């Protein structure tokens, strides 16, 4: 098609995995079927690559600029303005990256160099590709920070990445990508880890920059609601192959492939009637219907946890010897009943996670003053000694956001599950603990052979199941889930949410579910706590608060949730 900046034709990518019996073993990542991946990106067009983790989206995108490991093998054609990049030498690719094609990745903190200031990192491409002097490059860097909406850009040039919020770090990454005014921006899950309001700001920023600079965007995501708002065309991938592609209106209004239909349907929404369980990809493809009758909750269930006026502050250095108090949680109060879920929502920095860690006593007084009461089984957790607190931690457990960081990479899954039982004296002997661990793996939907494997052998969703199983080894009554599904793609997220509901129905668990995803909160929560700047600004049942929020802040959070493609927007 005339006017295409980029044309990918029959791309196949495999990774050499060593030799076996004298034969080189290869793992196919893209183009596993009879045909490889093919699609085009036109000038001033946004094309979205969508699919689950492992579908080949990122491998396809990174093939364009050859940011793949050394053991990658690519075949087919990648035409950039008519030139085949698979035949380009290293010098051509170095000149291309950043100058004509730029990338923004999912995690800005791992992409930004922690030992260099923001200014030094911004001027590097300006000096390398445009030949600007340092003074001119710094002036241009300040303009770029201003363009992407960083407040006080001149002062931020001397800041380091850890001094910025996640949203500001991602804006810096976008500024770096746009420094040399590229023609194509590859955005690989750039908003996945951000809360809904920051995500909305980044999407609006990309749309504004696209219109201003005539930019083409290759946008990689697993969230079709997000894609529906930003893309002109959609390419749906699964298992390394293209299942369907077309204009965004066609894909959303009349998807042809069963997998596309499943992706569109498996994420909870704010509008539809809630099922008892979310349908996962395989349910949709097999034509299985959703279970619509949820197990009724007992409104008079006993209160297992009561929090009264919980506060937590941190000491911040001021000058050489001074310090000042920063209040992070301000007078939070709530009750949690057996078998119920309290959803806690708010933007990054609202105090959600600090509140959860403080009530678990994972923040201690030496880091800053803390107060209030956390009543559990008649005892105030805030006043327990070390020995008593250790016993109480058996009954209140936490699941963290990042399943890659929360499991010991040197422990097998079996060791991971047996260790807490051994520490707390659960089970008469190792054999009994192993039997219990295997039973828990089965309960969370993992095969028996997982017992002897290591964390790196599992996907993110499987690791999160292991983290949940580890909590269950201690027979807890309360689980604090801190962004436990936010890093998972939509189908795996649905599986984990279904698992949590099943465990709650079976074991009577009570959850404190901390998240920035309001659609997930609506699906899993009975009551919702909305936090802003460390305070509770609104608290009501999930049934009431999301359809009819009372506070402007809550309405702003709900208004920022991606709605997907809308017919009136396409008219």
């Amino acid at each position: 098609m005339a006017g295409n900046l980029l044309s990918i034709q029959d791309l196949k990518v495999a990774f050499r995995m060593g030799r076996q019996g004298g034969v080189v073993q290869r793992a196919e990542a893209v183009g596993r079927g009879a045909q490889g991946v093919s699609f085009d990106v036109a000038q001033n067009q946004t094309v979205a690559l969508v699919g689950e983790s492992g579908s080949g989206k990122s491998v396809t995108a990174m093939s364009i600029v050859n940011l793949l490991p050394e053991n990658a093998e690519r075949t087919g054609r990648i035409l950039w303005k008519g030139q085949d990049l698979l035949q380009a030498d290293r010098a051509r690719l170095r000149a291309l990256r950043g100058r004509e094609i730029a990338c923004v990745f999912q995690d800005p903190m791992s992409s930004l160099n922690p030992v260099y200031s923001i200014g030094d990192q911004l001027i590097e491409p300006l000096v390398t590709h445009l030949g600007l002097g340092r003074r001119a490059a710094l002036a241009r860097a300040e303009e770029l920070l201003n363009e992407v909406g960083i407040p006080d850009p001149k002062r931020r040039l001397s800041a380091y990445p850890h001094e910025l919020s996640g949203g500001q770090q991602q804006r810096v990454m976008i500024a770096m990508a746009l420094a040399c005014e590229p023609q194509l921006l590859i955005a690989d899950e750039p908003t996945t880890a951000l809360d809904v309001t920051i995500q909305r700001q980044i999407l609006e920023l990309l749309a504004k920059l696209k219109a201003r600079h005539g930019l083409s965007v290759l946008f990689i995501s697993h969230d079709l609601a997000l894609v529906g708002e930003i893309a002109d065309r959609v390419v749906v991938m699964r298992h390394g192959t293209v299942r369907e592609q077309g204009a965004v209106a066609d894909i959303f209004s009349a998807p042809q492939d069963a997998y596309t239909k499943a992706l569109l349907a498996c994420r909870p929404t704010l509008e539809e009637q809630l099922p008892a369980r979310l349908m996962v990809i395989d349910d949709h493809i097999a034509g299985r219907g959703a279970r619509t009758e949820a197990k009724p909750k007992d409104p008079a269930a006993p209160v297992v946890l009561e929090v009264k006026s919980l506060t937590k502050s941190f000491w911040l250095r001021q000058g050489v010897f001074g310090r000042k108090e920063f209040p992070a949680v301000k007078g939070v109060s709530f009750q949690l009943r057996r078998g119920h879920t309290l959803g806690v929502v708010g933007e990054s920095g609202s105090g959600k996670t600090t509140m959860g860690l403080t009530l678990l006593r994972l923040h201690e007084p030496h880091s800053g003053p803390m107060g209030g009461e956390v009543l559990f089984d008649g005892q105030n957790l805030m006043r327990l000694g070390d020995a008593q607190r250790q016993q109480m931690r058996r009954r209140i457990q936490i699941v963290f956001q990042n399943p890659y960081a929360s499991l010991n990479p040197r422990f097998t899954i079996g060791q991971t599950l047996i260790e807490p039982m051994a520490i707390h004296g659960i089970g008469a002997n190792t054999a009994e603990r192993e039997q219990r661990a295997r039973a828990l793996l089965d309960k969370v939907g993992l095969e028996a052979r997982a017992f002897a494997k290591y964390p790196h052998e599992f996907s993110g969703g499987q690791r999160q199941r292991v983290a949940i199983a580890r909590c269950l080894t201690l027979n807890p009554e309360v689980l604090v889930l801190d962004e436990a599904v936010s890093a998972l793609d939509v189908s795996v997220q649905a599986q984990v949410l279904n698992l949590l509901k099943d465990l709650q129905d079976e074991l009577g668990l009570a959850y404190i579910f901390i998240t920035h995803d309001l659609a997930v909160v609506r699906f899993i929560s009975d009551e919702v706590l909305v936090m802003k700047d460390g305070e509770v600004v609104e608290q009501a049942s999930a049934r009431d608060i999301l359809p009819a929020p009372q506070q402007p802040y809550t309405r702003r959070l709900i208004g920022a949730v991606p709605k997907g493609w809308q017919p009136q927007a396409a008219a």
Side-chain angles (χ1 to χ4, degrees), residues 3-151:
N4 285 333
L5 276 179
L6 177 71
S7 181
I8 295 180
Q9 301 174 3
D10 197 28
L11 175 67
K12 297 180 181 179
V13 183
F15 294 94
R16 298 187 301 276
M17 306 300 289
R19 292 180 178 271
Q20 187 173 343
V23 179
V24 176
Q25 303 297 307
R26 290 176 173 82
E28 295 179 340
V30 168
R32 298 179 191 177
Q35 295 183 338
V37 169
S38 300
F39 63 88
D40 300 323
V41 180
Q43 189 168 353
N44 196 28
Q45 183 184 59
T46 298
V47 175
L49 281 182
V50 301
E52 299 169 275
S53 298
S55 62
K57 308 184 302 293
S58 293
V59 171
T60 298
M62 294 304 101
S63 294
I64 298 168
V65 285
N66 197 19
L67 292 178
L68 294 175
E70 290 291 330
N71 64 331
E73 296 178 345
R74 301 175 297 161
T75 61
R77 302 177 80 197
I78 301 176
L79 300 180
W80 172 251
K81 296 189 286 189
Q83 179 190 9
D84 189 355
L85 296 184
L86 293 188
Q87 308 303 320
D89 58 23
R90 290 186 177 182
R92 170 62 179 136
L93 287 174
R94 278 198 301 271
L96 182 81
R97 297 175 190 140
R99 182 66 182 93
E100 298 178 49
I101 303 176
C103 300
V104 176
F105 300 104
Q106 176 175 348
D107 183 5
M109 199 58 203
S110 64
S111 302
L112 294 169
N113 192 321
V115 301
Y116 285 99
S117 70
I118 298 302
D120 286 337
Q121 296 183 67
L122 273 170
I123 68 173
E124 182 181 7
L126 295 168
V127 172
T128 301
H129 291 293
L130 301 184
L132 296 183
R134 182 174 177 83
R135 179 175 294 181
L138 278 172
R140 176 60 180 147
E142 184 180 343
E143 292 175 5
L144 286 165
L145 289 183
N146 184 61
E147 186 174 13
V148 298
I150 296 288

Side-chain angles (χ1 to χ4, degrees), residues 305-314 326-336 342-347 349-364 370-374 381-382 396 398 400 478-483 511-515 527-536 538-539:
L305 187 72
E306 184 171 8
V307 174
K308 297 181 178 180
S309 302
L310 184 68
T311 62
K312 172 62 184 172
S313 298
F314 293 98
F326 172 75
V329 177
K330 310 169 187 175
V332 173
S333 301
F334 62 84
Q335 290 184 334
L336 180 64
L342 174 72
V344 184
V345 300
E347 298 171 284
S350 62
K352 309 185 301 293
T353 295
T354 302
M355 183 272 290
L357 296 178
T358 301
L359 68 87
L360 288 169
R361 289 290 301 275
L362 294 176
H363 283 312
E364 291 295 347
M370 51 199 294
E373 295 182 303
V374 180
L381 301 186
M382 305 296 283
I396 306 180
I398 185 168
F400 295 101
V478 176
L479 282 187
V480 176
L481 299 124
D482 186 10
E483 300 279 10
Y511 297 146
I512 297 175
F513 198 94
I514 300 169
T515 184
E527 188 173 2
V528 178
L529 206 73
V530 182
M531 292 188 66
K532 181 179 186 293
D533 298 331
E535 297 179 299
V536 175
E538 190 162 358
Q539 183 174 356

Side-chain angles (χ1 to χ4, degrees), residues 145-167:
L145 289 183
N146 184 61
E147 186 174 13
V148 298
I150 296 288
D152 196 3
K154 188 170 185 177
R155 182 173 65 86
R156 294 295 188 181
L157 288 173
S158 59
Y160 288 84
H162 71 272
E163 299 179 89
L164 305 182
S165 69

